[in-house]
Amino acid sequence: MDDQITPLLERIDAREQEIGTAAEQLRVHIDELTTRLRELDEEIGNLAVTRKTLLALPPTTPEPTDPPSALPAHPAYQQILTVLADATGPMRARDLCDRLDLPVTPKNIESTRHKLKRMVNVGVLAEPEPGLFTQRRPWRPSAVSPARYKRSITGIGA
């Protein structure tokens, strides 16, 4: 019987070694995964603390902005800003002439377009598409004291 059992025992030993090697590889892999899981849990905790800290900060309010110093003193520029502040979207020079109660003539349209382009160049307005103009940021003349506004435009021509 020994002759019949020996090959079986050898096969059992070989299989036992295979299983033992596979089990050891799985243990190493489990250790690696456990370490990685611990790192991810720590990162999640750090993110939660960061979120909690950010939510606990007092809200910030943007600093009031002065009108750009390069804005010409001519009243037409302030009128344009007022019309654009009330507009629901970008406007064309022709539409502004109409809203400013100017005759819609080529001369007035070109004059208004020139003012709009100047305001784009100094950063007061944006031109999202050619010929369409809108405010770059909200600004109303009434939000700035006349003395501060006058100081900001001193020496600038129309």
Side-chain angles (χ1 to χ4, degrees):
M1 268 213 108
D2 263 340
D3 292 338
Q4 290 178 347
I5 293 181
T6 302
L8 283 174
L9 290 176
E10 288 174 359
R11 285 180 59 197
I12 289 173
D13 286 343
R15 181 68 181 142
E16 192 176 29
Q17 282 183 341
E18 286 175 21
I19 292 173
T21 301
E24 185 56 33
Q25 288 174 347
L26 284 175
R27 282 187 196 91
V28 169
H29 192 62
I30 287 171
D31 288 343
E32 291 170 355
L33 290 174
T34 302
T35 300
R36 180 67 179 135
L37 180 61
R38 194 172 315 126
E39 291 169 354
L40 291 174
D41 285 340
E42 185 177 324
E43 189 172 346
I44 288 171
N46 290 341
L47 290 171
V49 169
T50 302
R51 176 184 292 109
K52 186 176 179 180
T53 302
L54 288 174
L55 291 174
L57 291 175
T60 59
T61 56
E63 291 293 318
T65 58
D66 290 338
S69 61
L71 185 64
H74 194 277
Y77 290 94
Q78 286 73 43
Q79 292 169 349
I80 290 170
L81 285 173
T82 302
V83 169
L84 285 172
D86 294 335
T88 58
M91 294 184 74
R92 298 192 178 279
R94 177 183 198 85
D95 301 327
L96 276 163
C97 286
D98 189 44
R99 293 278 299 272
L100 292 168
D101 292 325
L102 295 171
V104 183
T105 63
K107 176 184 172 189
N108 287 336
I109 294 170
E110 282 308 311
S111 175
T112 302
R113 183 176 290 114
H114 176 75
K115 287 176 179 65
L116 291 166
K117 290 286 190 178
R118 178 182 270 177
M119 294 169 83
V120 168
N121 288 336
V122 298
V124 176
L125 298 181
E127 190 176 8
E129 292 179 28
L132 286 175
F133 300 90
T134 187
Q135 282 190 305
R136 188 172 297 280
R137 60 179 176 262
W139 177 77
R140 289 187 179 264
S142 61
V144 180
S145 72
R148 240 170 78 194
Y149 180 69
K150 187 174 180 181
R151 279 195 311 267
S152 71
I153 62 170
T154 303
I156 306 297

